[in-house]
Amino acid sequence: MDNRRRAKSQKIARQNDEFKTEDNKRRAEALKIERQNDEFKIEDNKRRAEALKIERQNVEFKTEDNKRRAEALKIERQNDEFKTEDNKRRAVAHKIERQNVESKTEENKKRAEALKIERQNDEFKTEDNKRRAEAHKIERQNDEFKTEENKKRAEALKIKRAEEEYKEEERRRNALRMQNNRDKYKNNFDVMKSNYELKIKEGPTHICSCCGGLWFEYSIKEFTVEMLRNKGLPKEFIDTVCYLENAIIKLCVTCRKDIMSNKVPNLCLSNGLAFYEIPD
């Protein structure tokens, strides 16, 4: 009876906000002191867990509680130290969970399903393929992994090729690839032939400043004295090898190779191979 009167009196008193605030402070302080006792703390945690479990059977309460938890966690994870520790805890918990075969299988299914949905986005799919290719390239730098993968591929191919349908499809692919290669070669040859015919119509009209030979345009590279000096060639050497004096120095591939090695080409006109000037 006395407890009832106290409870009723307390209830009335707590309708006063100021009293309620002070009372909450007193309760919190008292609870803090009591929880310094390990035995009390363990029992209190059990009571709290049990009470929360009962409350979370209410869908509305559970939804609100999840929101509060998510919001609180979001705020806490803004602290880098907490975030690092939280990630470690999650990783450890996840590792333990995946030791359970059933849990691991279910999680793999969820991941596969989520990835399947994400890969319907072309942009994501392209990026994902790049990541996979890069990761696979790195993995194959490991000789052991590469050897094992090659074995698996060979074994898988062997099994597939036992099927007549696959074998026939492979023959078609190979035939098509060979045909494409032949067409590609033929096209390349036709292009090269056409280019050659166009070039020879003009004839070799470009004169090498070193040997005086006639060359096609693609065999000649143009320089200035300054460009050659920048490559470390002395001015006297340039004057010697560039017998034909022009503002633009044209060098054929043969002479250019020797000149860049700081050597006078054998066919250089300055080696006494130049014709005498024809007198008037």
Side-chain angles (χ1 to χ4, degrees), residues 165-179:
E165 188 176 345
Y166 178 84
K167 197 184 284 186
E168 186 60 33
E169 181 61 30
E170 189 179 35
R171 286 197 196 103
R172 281 197 293 269
R173 283 200 305 268
N174 289 340
L176 183 61
R177 186 172 64 251
M178 290 173 68
Q179 180 65 42

Side-chain angles (χ1 to χ4, degrees), residues 187-198:
N187 290 337
N188 286 345
F189 178 78
D190 290 342
V191 170
M192 286 189 292
K193 182 183 174 186
S194 176
N195 287 338
Y196 174 74
E197 288 172 347
L198 284 173

Side-chain angles (χ1 to χ4, degrees), residues 2-212:
D2 188 43
N3 288 342
R4 285 182 184 176
R5 279 199 301 273
R6 283 187 182 183
K8 189 175 181 180
S9 173
Q10 179 77 2
K11 185 177 179 181
I12 293 167
R14 283 177 65 85
Q15 289 174 0
N16 180 297
D17 291 335
E18 189 176 347
F19 175 85
K20 186 177 179 180
T21 303
E22 287 301 316
D23 188 44
N24 286 343
K25 285 181 183 178
R26 283 195 298 272
R27 288 186 180 189
E29 189 62 34
L31 182 60
K32 185 178 177 181
I33 293 167
E34 284 182 312
R35 282 177 65 86
Q36 289 173 1
N37 180 301
D38 292 336
E39 189 175 346
F40 175 86
K41 186 177 180 180
I42 292 168
E43 287 301 316
D44 188 45
N45 286 344
K46 284 181 183 177
R47 283 195 298 272
R48 289 186 180 190
E50 189 62 34
L52 182 61
K53 185 178 178 181
I54 293 167
E55 284 181 313
R56 282 178 64 86
Q57 289 172 1
N58 179 300
V59 179
E60 189 176 347
F61 175 86
K62 186 177 179 179
T63 304
E64 286 302 315
D65 188 44
N66 287 343
K67 285 181 183 177
R68 283 194 299 270
R69 289 186 180 191
E71 189 61 34
L73 182 61
K74 185 179 177 181
I75 293 167
E76 284 182 312
R77 282 178 65 86
Q78 289 172 1
N79 179 301
D80 291 335
E81 189 175 347
F82 175 87
K83 187 177 179 180
T84 303
E85 287 301 315
D86 188 44
N87 287 343
K88 285 180 183 177
R89 284 194 296 270
R90 289 186 180 191
V92 171
H94 186 246
K95 186 177 179 181
I96 293 168
E97 279 183 324
R98 283 182 66 87
Q99 288 172 0
N100 180 301
V101 179
E102 189 175 345
S103 170
K104 186 177 179 180
T105 304
E106 283 302 313
E107 188 187 25
N108 287 344
K109 284 182 183 176
K110 286 176 190 169
R111 286 187 179 185
E113 189 62 33
L115 182 61
K116 185 178 177 181
I117 293 167
E118 283 182 314
R119 282 178 65 86
Q120 289 172 1
N121 179 301
D122 292 334
E123 189 175 348
F124 175 87
K125 187 177 179 180
T126 303
E127 287 301 315
D128 188 44
N129 287 343
K130 285 181 183 176
R131 284 194 297 270
R132 289 186 180 192
E134 189 61 33
H136 187 246
K137 185 179 177 182
I138 292 168
E139 282 182 315
R140 281 183 66 87
Q141 289 173 1
N142 180 303
D143 292 334
E144 189 175 346
F145 174 86
K146 188 177 179 180
T147 304
E148 284 301 314
E149 190 186 34
N150 288 344
K151 284 181 183 176
K152 286 176 190 170
R153 287 186 179 184
E155 189 62 33
L157 183 60
K158 186 178 177 181
I159 293 168
K160 280 183 174 179
R161 294 188 71 176
E163 302 172 11
E164 283 300 323
E165 188 176 345
Y166 178 84
K167 197 184 284 186
E168 186 60 33
E169 181 61 30
E170 189 179 35
R171 286 197 196 103
R172 281 197 293 269
R173 283 200 305 268
N174 289 340
L176 183 61
R177 186 172 64 251
M178 290 173 68
Q179 180 65 42
N180 288 339
N181 287 339
R182 281 195 293 268
D183 291 344
K184 186 177 178 182
Y185 174 78
K186 185 177 183 303
N187 290 337
N188 286 345
F189 178 78
D190 290 342
V191 170
M192 286 189 292
K193 182 183 174 186
S194 176
N195 287 338
Y196 174 74
E197 288 172 347
L198 284 173
K199 298 290 183 186
I200 62 173
K201 281 180 183 178
E202 298 175 6
T205 55
H206 295 268
I207 303 171
C208 175
S209 300
C210 179
C211 67

Side-chain angles (χ1 to χ4, degrees), residues 246-259:
N246 293 299
I248 300 298
I249 299 168
K250 296 183 178 182
L251 297 176
C252 68
V253 64
T254 308
C255 294
R256 188 166 69 243
K257 184 178 177 182
D258 285 337
I259 290 171

